Amino acid sequence: MRIAIYPGSFDPVTYAHLDIARRATRIFDRVIMAVFDRPQKRLLFSTEERLRLLRAVTADMANVEATSYEMLTVEFARQVGACAIVRGLRAGSDFEAEFQMAQVNQTIEPSIEVVVLMAGRQYAHISSTAVREMASLGRDPVEFTPPVVIAALREKFAQRG
Ligand code: ADP
């Protein structure tokens, strides 16, 4: 049984994230999408909200599950018996950060591989940032994220007024 974790902020989850997860299941028997509790970013959704949305949109995906974690990513990987950490890569701008993170993770835990999947052609332009920005300006990002996320965005921005 080859298990991989796919960690991220998922603030909120997008079709691009789901594409990476689905493709990762071609390589691994089980893919655990894992919401990182405290990324060094300003978040729109709480951990509970991000996890609820992730669970809702992965419910029908075979071999994909969702959870959250609060420790070092490699420690979480080891805890769940994963042999790899999956990440997605968009244009060059993602490379530096992903490369550096992979080096740090390899230093801490050399037995866990970092597997980077290139952005799918139809998904490369999608980002959680764009989703949040569009929603904040009153336009539903229906091309970027599933209906349950759109509903959560509407509710969030309605609350904020
Ligand atoms: P993080 O804060 O860890 O970067 P994100 O939720 O922004 O969390 O992204 C999680 C992972 O998904 C990252 O590896 C990111 O590069 C990848 N990713 C995000 N959007 C895309 C996309 N459009 N195509 C491919 N990979 C993506």
Side-chain angles (χ1 to χ4, degrees):
M1 175 78 128
R2 300 187 76 76
I3 303 170
I5 62 162
Y6 174 22
S9 308
F10 305 115
D11 185 37
V13 61
T14 68
Y15 285 131
H17 293 134
L18 297 175
D19 176 58
I20 295 287
R22 191 174 297 114
R23 287 163 53 207
T25 64
R26 295 186 192 158
I27 308 172
F28 300 99
D29 301 307
R30 208 172 130 213
V31 173
I32 303 173
M33 294 184 81
V35 174
F36 181 46
D37 191 36
R38 274 172 298 161
Q40 291 177 333
K41 289 180 174 181
R42 278 192 55 191
L43 296 168
L44 178 63
F45 291 103
S46 70
T47 303
E48 294 70 33
E49 289 168 328
R50 287 178 289 144
L51 180 57
R52 179 183 70 80
L53 294 173
L54 201 53
R55 288 210 164 121
V57 299
T58 55
D60 63 346
M61 288 172 74
N63 309 325
V64 176
E65 59 198 84
T67 187
S68 62
Y69 70 107
E70 300 177 22
M71 60 192 85
L72 275 174
T73 300
V74 282
E75 274 173 13
F76 175 69
R78 201 170 28 195
Q79 186 175 299
V80 297
C83 61
I85 296 170
V86 170
R87 297 284 289 174
L89 201 69
R90 280 163 293 194
S93 52
D94 277 343
F95 179 78
E96 284 296 330
E98 292 296 333
F99 185 72
Q100 204 184 3
M101 207 159 19
Q103 303 263 292
V104 171
N105 287 339
Q106 273 172 20
T107 306
I108 307 172
E109 186 51 74
S111 68
I112 294 175
E113 286 296 339
V114 176
V115 174
V116 178
L117 297 181
M118 299 301 155
R121 263 190 314 144
Q122 295 145 291
Y123 304 99
H125 59 292
I126 298 178
S127 68
S128 297
T129 306
V131 164
R132 292 192 304 269
E133 271 174 17
M134 281 173 71
S136 74
L137 296 170
R139 160 78 155 80
D140 288 341
V142 290
E143 302 88 348
F144 293 179
T145 191
V148 64
V149 179
I150 300 282
L153 285 162
R154 279 190 174 185
E155 198 179 322
K156 180 69 73 179
F157 285 106
Q159 277 167 12
R160 295 191 160 195

